[in-house]
Amino acid sequence: MAKIAEKEMERIRRTVEAEFPNDPALQQVHIARKIIAREAELEGFSFLEYVKLLVKRVGNT
């Protein structure tokens, strides 16, 4: 799995907080989604392909 740099995570967090300024729960959902999407991109997968891969890995443990 690709590891996202702390600076990039911070940028994602700030962007999402600006998009949803008064909704911390929605911020957390979107932050997680954006991080997963970025990891997928770094690995060369679509979002859906990457999530399916993660589910398989969890199922095999």
Side-chain angles (χ1 to χ4, degrees):
M1 278 192 288
K3 183 77 172 163
I4 297 177
E6 286 296 320
K7 285 184 179 183
E8 189 167 6
M9 281 208 206
E10 182 63 26
R11 182 191 55 78
I12 289 170
R13 186 188 61 76
R14 283 192 314 268
T15 301
V16 170
E17 285 177 352
E19 291 174 9
F20 305 98
N22 297 315
D23 196 339
L26 195 54
Q27 288 174 6
Q28 291 299 309
V29 170
H30 281 277
I31 289 169
R33 184 186 55 78
K34 287 182 177 278
I35 289 171
I36 293 168
R38 181 65 179 132
E39 287 177 348
E41 182 182 323
L42 291 173
E43 292 287 333
F45 294 106
S46 72
F47 182 82
L48 186 57
E49 290 169 332
Y50 190 69
V51 170
K52 286 180 179 180
L53 178 67
L54 292 176
V55 168
K56 273 187 183 177
R57 287 183 182 172
V58 169
N60 290 332
T61 58

Coordinates of all heavy atoms in Angstrom, one line a residue:
M1 N 0.8 -1.2 0.0 CA 0.0 0.0 0.0 C 0.9 1.2 0.0 O 1.9 1.3 0.7 CB -0.9 0.0 1.2 CG -2.1 -0.8 1.1 SD -3.3 -0.5 2.3 CE -2.6 -1.3 3.7
A2 N 0.4 2.2 -0.7 CA 1.2 3.5 -0.8 C 1.0 4.3 0.5 O -0.1 4.2 1.1 CB 0.6 4.3 -2.0
K3 N 2.0 5.0 0.8 CA 2.0 5.8 2.1 C 1.9 7.3 1.6 O 2.7 7.7 0.8 CB 3.2 5.5 2.9 CG 3.3 6.3 4.2 CD 2.4 5.6 5.2 CE 2.6 6.3 6.5 NZ 1.6 6.0 7.5
I4 N 0.9 8.0 2.1 CA 0.8 9.4 1.8 C 1.6 10.2 2.8 O 1.6 10.0 4.0 CB -0.7 9.8 1.9 CG1 -1.5 9.0 0.8 CG2 -0.9 11.3 1.6 CD1 -2.9 9.3 0.8
A5 N 2.3 11.2 2.3 CA 3.1 12.1 3.1 C 2.2 12.9 4.1 O 1.1 13.2 3.7 CB 3.9 13.0 2.3
E6 N 2.7 13.2 5.2 CA 2.0 14.0 6.2 C 1.6 15.4 5.6 O 0.4 15.8 5.9 CB 2.9 14.2 7.5 CG 3.0 13.0 8.3 CD 1.7 12.5 8.9 OE1 0.9 13.4 9.3 OE2 1.5 11.3 9.0
K7 N 2.4 16.0 4.8 CA 2.0 17.3 4.2 C 0.8 17.1 3.3 O 0.0 18.0 3.3 CB 3.2 17.9 3.5 CG 4.3 18.4 4.3 CD 5.4 19.1 3.5 CE 6.4 19.7 4.4 NZ 7.5 20.4 3.6
E8 N 0.8 16.1 2.6 CA -0.4 15.8 1.7 C -1.6 15.6 2.5 O -2.7 16.1 2.2 CB -0.1 14.7 0.7 CG -1.2 14.6 -0.3 CD -0.8 13.7 -1.5 OE1 0.3 13.0 -1.4 OE2 -1.5 13.6 -2.4
M9 N -1.5 14.8 3.6 CA -2.7 14.6 4.4 C -3.2 15.9 5.1 O -4.4 16.1 5.1 CB -2.3 13.6 5.5 CG -2.3 12.2 5.1 SD -2.7 11.2 6.5 CE -1.9 9.7 6.2
E10 N -2.3 16.7 5.5 CA -2.6 18.0 6.0 C -3.3 18.9 5.0 O -4.3 19.5 5.3 CB -1.4 18.7 6.6 CG -1.7 20.0 7.2 CD -2.6 19.9 8.5 OE1 -2.6 18.8 9.1 OE2 -3.3 20.9 8.8
R11 N -2.9 18.8 3.8 CA -3.5 19.6 2.7 C -4.9 19.1 2.4 O -5.9 19.8 2.3 CB -2.7 19.5 1.4 CG -3.3 20.3 0.2 CD -2.6 19.9 -1.1 NE -2.6 18.5 -1.4 CZ -3.7 17.9 -1.9 NH1 -4.8 18.5 -2.1 NH2 -3.6 16.6 -2.2
I12 N -5.1 17.8 2.4 CA -6.4 17.2 2.3 C -7.3 17.6 3.4 O -8.5 18.0 3.2 CB -6.3 15.6 2.2 CG1 -5.7 15.2 0.9 CG2 -7.7 15.0 2.4 CD1 -5.3 13.7 0.8
R13 N -6.8 17.5 4.6 CA -7.6 17.9 5.8 C -8.1 19.4 5.7 O -9.3 19.7 5.9 CB -6.8 17.7 7.1 CG -7.7 18.0 8.3 CD -6.9 18.0 9.6 NE -5.8 19.0 9.6 CZ -6.0 20.3 9.8 NH1 -7.2 20.7 10.1 NH2 -5.0 21.1 9.9
R14 N -7.2 20.3 5.3 CA -7.5 21.7 5.2 C -8.6 21.9 4.1 O -9.5 22.7 4.3 CB -6.3 22.6 5.0 CG -5.4 22.8 6.2 CD -4.4 23.9 6.0 NE -3.7 23.7 4.7 CZ -2.5 23.0 4.5 NH1 -2.0 22.4 5.6 NH2 -1.9 23.0 3.4
T15 N -8.4 21.3 3.0 CA -9.3 21.4 1.9 C -10.7 21.0 2.3 O -11.7 21.7 2.0 CB -8.8 20.6 0.6 OG1 -7.5 21.0 0.3 CG2 -9.8 20.7 -0.5
V16 N -10.8 19.8 2.9 CA -12.1 19.3 3.3 C -12.7 20.2 4.4 O -13.9 20.4 4.3 CB -12.0 17.8 3.8 CG1 -13.3 17.4 4.4 CG2 -11.6 16.9 2.6
E17 N -12.0 20.7 5.3 CA -12.5 21.5 6.3 C -13.1 22.8 5.7 O -14.1 23.3 6.2 CB -11.5 21.9 7.4 CG -11.2 20.7 8.3 CD -10.1 21.0 9.3 OE1 -9.4 22.1 9.2 OE2 -9.9 20.2 10.2
A18 N -12.4 23.3 4.7 CA -13.0 24.5 4.0 C -14.2 24.2 3.2 O -15.1 25.0 3.1 CB -11.9 25.0 3.0
E19 N -14.4 23.0 2.7 CA -15.6 22.6 1.9 C -16.8 22.4 2.9 O -17.9 22.6 2.5 CB -15.3 21.3 1.1 CG -14.4 21.5 0.0 CD -14.0 20.2 -0.7 OE1 -14.6 19.1 -0.4 OE2 -13.1 20.2 -1.6
F20 N -16.5 21.8 4.1 CA -17.6 21.5 5.0 C -17.2 22.1 6.4 O -16.9 21.4 7.3 CB -17.7 20.0 5.1 CG -17.9 19.3 3.8 CD1 -16.9 18.7 3.2 CD2 -19.2 19.3 3.3 CE1 -17.1 18.1 2.0 CE2 -19.4 18.6 2.1 CZ -18.4 18.0 1.4
P21 N -17.3 23.4 6.5 CA -16.7 24.1 7.7 C -17.5 23.8 9.0 O -16.8 23.9 10.1 CB -16.9 25.6 7.3 CG -17.9 25.7 6.3 CD -17.8 24.4 5.5
N22 N -18.7 23.5 9.0 CA -19.4 23.3 10.2 C -20.0 21.9 10.4 O -21.0 21.7 11.1 CB -20.6 24.3 10.3 CG -20.1 25.7 10.3 OD1 -19.2 26.1 11.0 ND2 -20.7 26.6 9.5
D23 N -19.3 20.9 9.8 CA -19.8 19.5 9.9 C -18.6 18.6 10.1 O -18.1 18.0 9.1 CB -20.6 19.2 8.7 CG -21.4 17.9 8.9 OD1 -21.1 17.1 9.8 OD2 -22.4 17.7 8.1
P24 N -18.1 18.4 11.3 CA -16.9 17.6 11.6 C -17.1 16.1 11.2 O -16.2 15.5 10.7 CB -16.7 17.6 13.1 CG -17.5 18.8 13.6 CD -18.6 19.1 12.6
A25 N -18.4 15.6 11.3 CA -18.6 14.2 10.9 C -18.4 14.0 9.4 O -17.8 13.1 8.9 CB -20.0 13.8 11.3
L26 N -19.0 14.9 8.6 CA -18.9 14.9 7.2 C -17.4 15.1 6.8 O -17.0 14.5 5.8 CB -19.8 15.9 6.5 CG -20.1 15.8 5.1 CD1 -20.6 14.4 4.7 CD2 -21.1 16.8 4.6
Q27 N -16.7 16.0 7.5 CA -15.3 16.2 7.2 C -14.5 14.9 7.3 O -13.7 14.5 6.4 CB -14.7 17.2 8.2 CG -15.2 18.6 8.0 CD -14.7 19.5 9.1 OE1 -13.9 19.1 9.9 NE2 -15.1 20.8 9.0
Q28 N -14.8 14.1 8.4 CA -14.0 12.9 8.6 C -14.3 11.9 7.5 O -13.4 11.2 7.0 CB -14.4 12.3 10.0 CG -13.9 13.1 11.1 CD -12.4 13.2 11.1 OE1 -11.7 12.2 11.0 NE2 -11.9 14.4 11.3
V29 N -15.5 11.8 7.0 CA -15.9 10.9 6.0 C -15.2 11.3 4.7 O -14.6 10.4 4.0 CB -17.4 10.9 5.7 CG1 -17.8 10.1 4.4 CG2 -18.1 10.3 6.9
H30 N -15.2 12.5 4.4 CA -14.5 13.0 3.1 C -13.0 12.9 3.2 O -12.4 12.6 2.2 CB -15.0 14.4 2.7 CG -16.4 14.4 2.1 ND1 -16.5 14.1 0.8 CD2 -17.6 14.5 2.6 CE1 -17.8 14.1 0.5 NE2 -18.5 14.3 1.6
I31 N -12.5 13.2 4.4 CA -11.0 13.0 4.5 C -10.6 11.6 4.3 O -9.7 11.3 3.5 CB -10.6 13.5 5.9 CG1 -10.7 15.0 6.0 CG2 -9.1 13.1 6.2 CD1 -10.5 15.6 7.4
A32 N -11.3 10.7 4.9 CA -11.0 9.2 4.7 C -11.1 8.9 3.2 O -10.2 8.2 2.6 CB -11.9 8.4 5.5
R33 N -12.2 9.3 2.5 CA -12.4 9.0 1.1 C -11.3 9.5 0.3 O -10.8 8.9 -0.6 CB -13.8 9.5 0.7 CG -14.1 9.1 -0.7 CD -15.4 9.8 -1.2 NE -15.4 11.3 -1.1 CZ -14.7 12.1 -1.9 NH1 -14.1 11.6 -2.9 NH2 -14.8 13.4 -1.7
K34 N -10.9 10.8 0.5 CA -9.8 11.4 -0.3 C -8.5 10.7 -0.1 O -7.7 10.6 -1.0 CB -9.8 12.9 0.0 CG -10.9 13.7 -0.6 CD -10.8 15.1 -0.3 CE -11.8 15.9 -1.0 NZ -11.6 16.2 -2.4
I35 N -8.2 10.3 1.2 CA -7.0 9.6 1.4 C -6.9 8.2 0.7 O -5.9 7.9 0.1 CB -6.7 9.4 2.9 CG1 -6.4 10.8 3.6 CG2 -5.7 8.4 3.2 CD1 -6.4 10.7 5.1
I36 N -8.0 7.5 0.8 CA -8.1 6.2 0.1 C -8.0 6.4 -1.4 O -7.3 5.7 -2.1 CB -9.4 5.5 0.4 CG1 -9.4 5.1 1.9 CG2 -9.6 4.3 -0.5 CD1 -10.7 4.6 2.4
A37 N -8.7 7.5 -2.0 CA -8.6 7.7 -3.4 C -7.1 8.1 -3.8 O -6.7 7.6 -4.9 CB -9.5 8.9 -3.8
R38 N -6.4 8.8 -3.0 CA -5.0 9.2 -3.3 C -4.1 7.9 -3.2 O -3.3 7.7 -4.1 CB -4.5 10.2 -2.3 CG -3.1 10.7 -2.6 CD -3.0 11.4 -3.9 NE -1.6 11.8 -4.1 CZ -0.9 11.6 -5.2 NH1 -1.4 11.0 -6.2 NH2 0.4 12.0 -5.2
E39 N -4.4 7.1 -2.2 CA -3.6 5.8 -2.2 C -3.8 5.0 -3.4 O -2.9 4.4 -4.0 CB -4.0 5.0 -0.9 CG -3.4 5.6 0.4 CD -3.9 4.9 1.6 OE1 -4.8 4.0 1.5 OE2 -3.3 5.2 2.7
A40 N -5.1 4.9 -3.8 CA -5.4 4.1 -5.0 C -4.7 4.7 -6.2 O -4.1 3.9 -7.0 CB -6.9 4.1 -5.3
E41 N -4.7 6.0 -6.4 CA -4.0 6.6 -7.5 C -2.5 6.3 -7.5 O -1.9 6.0 -8.5 CB -4.2 8.2 -7.4 CG -3.6 9.0 -8.5 CD -3.9 10.4 -8.3 OE1 -4.9 10.8 -7.8 OE2 -2.9 11.2 -8.6
L42 N -1.9 6.4 -6.3 CA -0.5 6.1 -6.2 C -0.1 4.7 -6.6 O 0.9 4.4 -7.1 CB 0.0 6.4 -4.8 CG 0.1 7.9 -4.4 CD1 0.4 8.1 -3.0 CD2 1.0 8.7 -5.3
E43 N -1.1 3.8 -6.3 CA -0.9 2.3 -6.6 C -1.3 2.0 -8.1 O -1.1 0.9 -8.5 CB -1.7 1.5 -5.7 CG -1.2 1.5 -4.2 CD 0.1 0.8 -4.0 OE1 0.4 -0.2 -4.8 OE2 0.9 1.2 -3.1
G44 N -1.9 2.9 -8.8 CA -2.3 2.7 -10.1 C -3.7 2.0 -10.3 O -3.9 1.4 -11.3
F45 N -4.5 2.1 -9.3 CA -5.8 1.5 -9.3 C -6.9 2.6 -9.3 O -6.6 3.7 -8.9 CB -6.1 0.7 -8.0 CG -5.2 -0.5 -8.0 CD1 -4.1 -0.6 -7.1 CD2 -5.5 -1.7 -8.7 CE1 -3.3 -1.7 -7.0 CE2 -4.7 -2.8 -8.6 CZ -3.6 -2.8 -7.8
S46 N -8.1 2.2 -9.7 CA -9.3 3.1 -9.5 C -9.7 3.0 -8.1 O -9.2 2.1 -7.4 CB -10.4 2.7 -10.4 OG -11.0 1.5 -9.9
F47 N -10.5 3.9 -7.6 CA -10.9 3.9 -6.2 C -11.6 2.5 -5.9 O -11.3 1.9 -4.9 CB -11.9 5.0 -6.0 CG -12.4 5.1 -4.6 CD1 -11.7 5.7 -3.6 CD2 -13.7 4.6 -4.2 CE1 -12.2 5.8 -2.3 CE2 -14.1 4.6 -2.9 CZ -13.4 5.3 -2.0
L48 N -12.5 2.1 -6.8 CA -13.2 0.8 -6.5 C -12.3 -0.4 -6.6 O -12.4 -1.3 -5.7 CB -14.3 0.7 -7.6 CG -15.3 -0.5 -7.4 CD1 -15.9 -0.5 -6.1 CD2 -16.3 -0.5 -8.5
E49 N -11.4 -0.4 -7.5 CA -10.4 -1.5 -7.6 C -9.6 -1.6 -6.3 O -9.4 -2.7 -5.7 CB -9.5 -1.4 -8.7 CG -10.1 -1.6 -10.1 CD -9.2 -1.1 -11.2 OE1 -8.3 -0.3 -11.0 OE2 -9.3 -1.7 -12.3
Y50 N -9.2 -0.5 -5.8 CA -8.4 -0.4 -4.6 C -9.1 -0.9 -3.4 O -8.6 -1.7 -2.5 CB -7.8 1.0 -4.4 CG -6.8 1.1 -3.3 CD1 -5.5 0.6 -3.5 CD2 -7.0 1.8 -2.1 CE1 -4.5 0.7 -2.5 CE2 -6.1 2.0 -1.2 CZ -4.8 1.4 -1.4 OH -3.9 1.5 -0.4
V51 N -10.4 -0.4 -3.2 CA -11.2 -0.9 -2.1 C -11.4 -2.4 -2.2 O -11.3 -3.1 -1.1 CB -12.5 -0.1 -2.1 CG1 -13.5 -0.7 -1.1 CG2 -12.3 1.4 -1.8
K52 N -11.7 -2.9 -3.4 CA -11.9 -4.4 -3.5 C -10.6 -5.1 -3.1 O -10.6 -6.1 -2.4 CB -12.2 -4.7 -4.9 CG -13.6 -4.4 -5.3 CD -13.9 -4.8 -6.7 CE -15.3 -4.5 -7.1 NZ -15.6 -4.9 -8.5
L53 N -9.4 -4.6 -3.4 CA -8.2 -5.2 -3.1 C -8.0 -5.2 -1.5 O -7.6 -6.2 -1.0 CB -7.0 -4.4 -3.7 CG -5.6 -4.9 -3.4 CD1 -5.3 -6.3 -4.0 CD2 -4.6 -3.9 -3.9
L54 N -8.3 -4.1 -0.9 CA -8.2 -4.0 0.5 C -9.2 -5.0 1.2 O -8.8 -5.6 2.2 CB -8.6 -2.6 1.0 CG -7.6 -1.5 0.6 CD1 -8.1 -0.1 1.1 CD2 -6.2 -1.7 1.2
V55 N -10.4 -5.1 0.7 CA -11.3 -6.1 1.3 C -10.8 -7.5 1.2 O -10.9 -8.3 2.1 CB -12.7 -6.0 0.6 CG1 -13.6 -7.1 0.9 CG2 -13.4 -4.6 0.9
K56 N -10.2 -7.8 0.0 CA -9.6 -9.2 -0.1 C -8.5 -9.4 0.9 O -8.4 -10.5 1.5 CB -9.0 -9.3 -1.6 CG -10.0 -9.8 -2.6 CD -9.2 -10.1 -3.9 CE -10.2 -10.5 -4.9 NZ -9.5 -10.7 -6.2
R57 N -7.6 -8.4 1.1 CA -6.5 -8.5 2.0 C -7.0 -8.7 3.4 O -6.5 -9.5 4.2 CB -5.6 -7.3 2.0 CG -4.8 -7.2 0.7 CD -3.9 -6.0 0.8 NE -3.1 -6.0 -0.5 CZ -2.3 -5.0 -0.8 NH1 -2.2 -3.9 0.0 NH2 -1.6 -5.0 -1.9
V58 N -8.1 -8.0 3.8 CA -8.6 -8.2 5.1 C -9.3 -9.5 5.3 O -9.2 -10.2 6.3 CB -9.7 -7.0 5.4 CG1 -10.4 -7.3 6.7 CG2 -9.0 -5.7 5.5
G59 N -9.9 -10.0 4.2 CA -10.6 -11.3 4.3 C -9.6 -12.4 4.4 O -10.0 -13.5 4.9
N60 N -8.4 -12.2 3.9 CA -7.4 -13.3 3.9 C -6.6 -13.4 5.2 O -5.7 -14.2 5.4 CB -6.4 -13.2 2.8 CG -7.1 -13.5 1.5 OD1 -8.0 -14.2 1.4 ND2 -6.6 -12.9 0.4
T61 N -6.8 -12.4 6.2 CA -6.1 -12.5 7.4 C -6.8 -13.2 8.5 O -7.9 -13.5 8.5 CB -5.8 -11.0 7.9 OG1 -7.0 -10.3 8.1 CG2 -4.8 -10.3 6.9

